[in-house]
Amino acid sequence: EHVDEVTVTVTNDGNGSLVLSYNVQTAFTTPEWSNTYAAEGSAVLSAKKAANANLNSSKQFQFQLLDADDNVLHTSTAIGQGQTATFQSIPYTLADLGDASSKDYTYKIKEVIPTDAETKDGKKVKDGVTYDEHVEEVTVTVTNDGKGSLVVSYNGQNAFTTPEWSNTYAAEGSA
């Protein structure tokens, strides 16, 4: 809170005029106030592992959240079939927008494929599991609503639709 006190003094100059002074100055200086504005928001992304009746139910899977340059921002905890992995919230502030009222950020989500998976017919396979190698790209638009919030949208939608990865399983062996 800022208060600027002004004392106005009125004196008679003896010639029929009144003379005003402001804080003992002959000219009035207009006080100035500066307001500050802050806004913040966050995005939450997730990935779902589809259930597969042929796959061992104890099998665990992980997902990664990457930035537009393929830098890993977060790796999920291990989840089972039919479960959803939620990544850490991505916070935004006005500084992230710079001088713009809105800005787009691109993220990628992918399943973590074991490093020792073999390539068979162009696909990554381990222990009979053929991994879903698709990469989901998400554009998060961050917009200053002018009311103290940064509002996010996901691929142009207000709510994020969790993408799903589906692996296949084929038992191998010989008799």
Side-chain angles (χ1 to χ4, degrees):
E1 182 177 307
H2 173 87
V3 175
D4 203 349
E5 192 171 300
V6 177
T7 301
V8 178
T9 306
V10 180
T11 56
N12 187 336
D13 70 356
N15 295 322
S17 296
L18 298 177
V19 178
L20 301 176
S21 66
Y22 312 92
N23 292 341
V24 194
Q25 302 294 318
T26 57
F28 180 72
T29 304
T30 304
E32 292 184 23
W33 285 265
S34 296
N35 295 328
T36 58
Y37 175 75
E40 55 186 39
S42 63
V44 178
L45 304 173
S46 54
K48 183 175 182 178
K49 173 49 71 184
N52 181 328
N54 296 320
L55 193 58
N56 180 337
S57 63
S58 66
K59 183 80 174 143
Q60 297 284 292
F61 305 92
Q62 286 184 293
F63 294 89
Q64 289 181 325
L65 176 63
L66 301 94
D67 65 15
D69 297 322
D70 293 328
N71 297 306
V72 176
L73 302 176
H74 184 240
T75 300
S76 74
T77 57
I79 62 167
Q81 296 181 71
Q83 294 182 326
T84 299
T86 301
F87 296 106
Q88 295 171 343
S89 176
I90 305 167
Y92 302 98
T93 65
L94 279 176
D96 295 316
L97 297 183
D99 291 333
S101 62
S102 183
K103 187 172 180 180
D104 289 341
Y105 294 88
T106 301
Y107 299 99
K108 299 173 187 175
I109 303 170
K110 69 177 187 174
E111 183 172 7
V112 176
I113 298 173
T115 55
D116 59 346
E118 298 177 9
T119 302
K120 294 183 180 178
D121 298 324
K123 301 194 180 264
K124 295 291 185 179
V125 179
K126 181 172 184 210
D127 298 330
V129 176
T130 301
Y131 284 83
D132 184 340
E133 298 180 67
H134 94 271
V135 176
E136 193 76 25
E137 191 169 290
V138 180
T139 300
V140 174
T141 302
V142 181
T143 304
N144 181 0
D145 71 356
K147 299 175 187 173
S149 294
L150 296 180
V151 179
V152 298
S153 64
Y154 308 88
N155 294 332
Q157 303 299 311
N158 291 335
F160 180 65
T161 302
T162 301
E164 188 171 88
W165 278 258
S166 181
N167 296 341
T168 57
Y169 176 76
E172 296 180 357
S174 59

